[in-house]
Amino acid sequence: MPESHAFEARLASEWPVPSWSGVGVLVAVSGGPDSLALLRALHRLRNANAGRLLIAHFNHRLRGGDSDADEALVVEVSARLGCPCEVGRASPEEIRSRNGDGLEAAARQA
């Protein structure tokens, strides 16, 4: 069994589609391979009676053009899947000004 099918089977077993039928499911997608795999698996698993998949992406703008490329990829994949996508953004200065235990903690809070 291909690894992607095994992942989908495990996901369906742990979170059966009927348990999320009729509700909106918010999927936080960073643009990395793990979150994109989760999004694609959820999209393939849902059926006509399942709720909507809603995608959220936050561009921390900490990696310059790479951060913007991640945002563009998430927006593109969301559009291809026919799922609404909400994008939030903050400048590195805004993130650094937040209270927290360092830059990564502040970025998570943002």
Side-chain angles (χ1 to χ4, degrees):
M1 173 183 292
E3 194 171 323
S4 64
H5 294 298
F7 173 68
E8 288 176 25
R10 175 78 187 266
L11 182 59
S13 171
E14 295 293 325
W15 195 30
V17 173
S19 70
W20 51 284
S21 289
V23 299
V25 175
L26 180 65
V27 184
V29 181
S30 68
D34 293 346
S35 64
L36 286 168
L38 176 62
L39 172 59
R40 288 183 173 125
L42 289 170
H43 186 264
R44 281 192 294 266
L45 286 173
R46 81 174 176 170
N47 57 39
N49 297 324
R52 294 182 347 152
L53 290 179
L54 311 163
I55 290 83
H57 175 79
F58 196 88
N59 184 346
H60 297 92
R61 296 183 174 164
L62 295 175
R63 296 179 297 113
D66 289 341
S67 294
D68 294 336
D70 286 345
E71 177 183 327
L73 176 62
V74 171
V75 169
E76 176 195 335
V77 170
S78 300
R80 255 190 288 143
L81 297 176
C83 298
C85 180
E86 290 292 326
V87 175
R89 295 178 192 90
S91 71
E93 295 76 26
E94 290 172 303
I95 291 172
R96 286 184 182 96
S97 71
R98 293 181 183 263
N99 294 329
D101 296 326
L103 183 59
E104 287 187 22
R108 279 191 297 276
Q109 287 178 354

